[in-house]
């Protein structure tokens, strides 16, 4: 695992955009495609906007990119809460990616059906012996990642790749990739920003292993690489930086 810190949110966003393009170029040159699961939430917005900017857009052969989603809220695709809407507005609408390469979770249909459909889409795309080239994740102040929330059974899901579950604390349904597929990725990268994440970042990265309460700890790629990219505020409680042996 590698932990990298950056002075502020803007430098973190630039580093995340550079990381994305590096991963994309490597994957496309070796596997002729780049399959990436994008994080929702607010942290990655700036990075997605950078990827669509003149300085980054030409770096990636977008025809060979397949965008998936790490999770989705159970709302229509044009809803303000929709992760798809956020990614469409910041990135998809501004890049030359074929429409069929954007694999949306259907938040507008019955959650279990949406999860089953998405799992079918992913299994037919990846087959049995491949997985994501990159999974981007955020972390909530409660230690959740994607829509794997503390105390939910999805944390222990090791067969299914996608689950739909009701999140009691939020009173909403969410659809999420599971550790089974996330930990099979070539690279998993957390992007974490802000003072309000500092305490949880320390618990997750330097505290006792307790994935039931700290789902972000369940993310440990079986053979792939794990990166944590944090700004100085989010990393302010950490003792360790750089390469950490897990
Ligand atoms: C979502 C995300 C979720 C997010 C964290 C951090 O759908 O909201 O998948 O896991 O990454 O909650 O969110 P912020 O980046 O907004 O702090």
């Amino acid at each position: 695992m590698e932990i990298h810190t950056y002075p502020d949110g803007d430098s973190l966003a630039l580093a995340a955009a550079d990381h994305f393009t590096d991963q994309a170029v490597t994957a496309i040159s070796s596997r002729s495609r780049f399959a990436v699961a994008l994080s929702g939430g607010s942290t990655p917005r700036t990075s997605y906007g950078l990827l669509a900017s003149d300085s980054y857009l030409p770096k990636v052969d977008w025809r060979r990119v397949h965008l998936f989603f790490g999770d989705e809220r159970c709302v229509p695709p044009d809803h303000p809460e929709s992760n798809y809407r956020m990614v469409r507005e910041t990135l998809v609408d501004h890049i030359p990616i074929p429409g069929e390469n954007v694999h949306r979770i259907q938040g507008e249909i019955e959650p279990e059906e949406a999860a089953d459909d998405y799992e079918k889409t992913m299994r037919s795309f990846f087959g049995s012996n491949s997985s994501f080239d990159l999974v981007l994740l955020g972390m909530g102040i409660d230690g959740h990642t994607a829509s794997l929330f503390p105390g939910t059974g999805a944390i222990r899901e090791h067969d299914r790749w996608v689950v739909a579950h009701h999140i009691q604390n939020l009173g909403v349904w969410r659809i999420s990739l599971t550790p089974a597929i996330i930990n099979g990725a070539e690279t998993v990268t957390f992007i974490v920003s802000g003072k309000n994440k500092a305490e949880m970042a320390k618990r997750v990265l330097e505290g006792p292993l307790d994935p039931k309460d700290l789902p972000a700890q369940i993310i440990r790629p079986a053979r792939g690489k794990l990166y944590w990219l944090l700004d100085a505020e989010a990393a302010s409680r950490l003792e360790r930086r750089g390469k950490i042996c897990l």
Side-chain angles (χ1 to χ4, degrees), residues 38-44 70-73 83 137-141 144-147 149 174 191 193 196-197:
L38 297 177
S39 168
S42 55
T43 303
D71 67 329
E72 188 54 281
R73 292 82 180 278
N83 285 335
L137 294 171
M139 184 195 73
I141 58 172
H144 82 262
T145 189
S147 282
F149 284 84
R174 289 281 189 96
I191 308 170
S193 168
N196 66 331
K197 303 284 177 76

Side-chain angles (χ1 to χ4, degrees), residues 165-184:
H165 55 174
H166 187 258
I167 313 298
Q168 209 155 5
N169 298 0
L170 301 178
V172 294
W173 279 83
R174 289 281 189 96
I175 296 159
S176 183
L177 298 193
T178 66
I181 185 69
I182 295 172
N183 285 333

Side-chain angles (χ1 to χ4, degrees), residues 40-59:
S42 55
T43 303
R45 291 182 69 99
T46 309
S47 298
Y48 298 161
L50 283 170
L51 290 171
S53 69
D54 294 345
S55 44
Y56 280 89
L57 190 141
K59 294 182 179 187

